[in-house]
Amino acid sequence: MSVQLKLRGHDKDLGGGFMVRRLLPSAPRQSVGPFLFFDHFGPVTVQPGASHDVRPHPHIGLATVSYLFEGAILHRDSLGSVQRIEPGAINWMTSGRGIVHSERGPQDLRSQAYVNHGLQLWAALPQAFEEVAPEFSHTPAQAIPAVSLDGAEVRVLIGAAFGETSPVRTFSKTIYLDIKLAAGATLALPALADELAVYAVDGDLTVDGEPVAAHTLATLTPGVTAQISSSAPTRWVVVGGDALDARRYIWWNFVSSRKERIVQASEEWAAQTMGQIDGETEFIPLPERRFTAG
């Protein structure tokens, strides 16, 4: 069997009734490759006048990776970046030593109903790059390489697979694939990295004969090619990469290999010295219960 662990996740309210399904971090597994945060949101219909906006908030020590199946989100950050995120594009935001960003519904969609559906991941930066300068990178959908296999359509969002290599720049070996599998088809997924997992987005999968239900993140045995199949058309993703180089502490929106760095970032956010987004006056305050380095 190539399935090591099945994670079902839990529902999390991000505010205003905006619910997500959180798969990582979890008690049995903090990360898969560099990915230590995995949220699946939607599909949810955003009604006219409704707000699923995420107000300005900070990050350190990680890269946010945003990917939409449907809908649109407007990204703005303290570097001055303004980017409409749409289906098929990869948006990689390196927080490094500190960045502030917001995610809001585009103004042109606020008067109509539309569906939002996607994944929000965090990739921990290697220790040597935890304090790099922040950066935002948008890779449009048409720049993402794709390959058609027997019964499978694979988009190589990040990393290299099936003879294709994504243009998205990372700080360590990282794999992120978006795969559509036809009914009754089987895909041989090679061991593309030391740590890999598959996530069934909208249907059930079978991994080497073992059922993996929809909305389940299944970690795979290292070094083994897995046979992935489905009885119905199914969308799923593959995530993974090199294992983390050290334990990471995760508190609120901060990730670091050092507890004291999280304390420092908390103090900076409380003092509002981490940066500002032009035109934004709101912000998400620190949780009342603070992180301590003790």
Side-chain angles (χ1 to χ4, degrees), residues 1-9 21-24 26 28-29 31-33 35 38 175 189-190 193-201 203-222 224 226-229 235-241:
M1 289 291 184
S2 60
V3 173
Q4 285 185 313
L5 186 66
K6 297 179 186 178
L7 303 174
R8 288 287 296 170
R21 182 176 298 103
R22 183 156 297 168
L23 286 301
L24 292 174
S26 68
R29 182 99 183 215
S31 60
V32 178
F35 295 110
F38 189 119
I175 299 293
L189 178 66
D194 292 342
E195 296 185 355
L196 280 182
V198 299
Y199 178 69
V201 174
D204 300 337
L205 296 172
T206 301
V207 180
D208 288 340
E210 183 170 349
V212 174
H215 304 156
T216 300
L217 183 70
T219 62
L220 305 180
T221 302
V224 177
Q227 303 293 326
I228 318 288
S229 60
R235 189 171 206 160
W236 49 290
V237 299
V238 180
V239 295

Side-chain angles (χ1 to χ4, degrees), residues 53 101 146 151 170 185 197 219 258 285-287 293:
D53 291 350
H101 77 131
T170 64
T219 62
R258 298 180 292 122
L286 286 170

Side-chain angles (χ1 to χ4, degrees), residues 20-206:
V20 301
R21 182 176 298 103
R22 183 156 297 168
L23 286 301
L24 292 174
S26 68
R29 182 99 183 215
Q30 184 189 60
S31 60
V32 178
F35 295 110
L36 42 59
F37 182 93
F38 189 119
D39 272 2
H40 178 195
F41 57 91
V44 59
T45 300
V46 182
Q47 297 295 339
S51 174
H52 289 172
D53 291 350
V54 180
R55 295 169 293 159
H57 58 282
H59 291 291
I60 64 163
L62 60 89
T64 63
V65 187
S66 305
Y67 186 67
L68 290 179
F69 302 120
E70 296 179 84
I73 296 172
L74 184 66
H75 165 96
R76 304 177 73 212
D77 63 43
S78 52
L79 301 176
S81 311
V82 179
Q83 178 64 55
R84 186 185 180 102
I85 299 173
E86 295 186 317
I90 278 288
N91 292 270
W92 176 287
M93 185 185 75
T94 301
S95 65
R97 59 178 175 256
I99 197 170
V100 180
H101 77 131
S102 65
E103 297 156 300
R104 298 185 180 273
Q107 190 62 40
D108 62 296
L109 296 181
R110 290 186 178 272
S111 61
Q112 64 188 71
Y114 66 99
V115 175
N116 255 353
H117 185 203
L119 301 173
Q120 180 69 56
L121 279 58
W122 295 354
L125 299 176
Q127 283 183 291
F129 299 99
E130 283 186 307
E131 298 295 324
V132 297
E135 182 182 8
F136 178 77
S137 176
H138 170 77
T139 304
Q142 59 268 29
I144 300 293
V147 58
S148 295
L149 304 170
D150 188 17
E153 299 293 328
V154 181
R155 303 189 75 235
V156 183
L157 308 180
I158 299 175
F162 302 107
E164 298 288 345
T165 301
S166 168
V168 177
R169 184 176 67 88
T170 64
F171 293 87
S172 63
K173 185 171 185 177
T174 306
I175 299 293
Y176 192 9
L177 312 178
D178 176 14
I179 301 174
K180 291 181 179 179
L181 198 60
T186 297
L187 177 68
L189 178 66
L192 299 170
D194 292 342
E195 296 185 355
L196 280 182
V198 299
Y199 178 69
V201 174
D202 62 5
D204 300 337
L205 296 172
T206 301

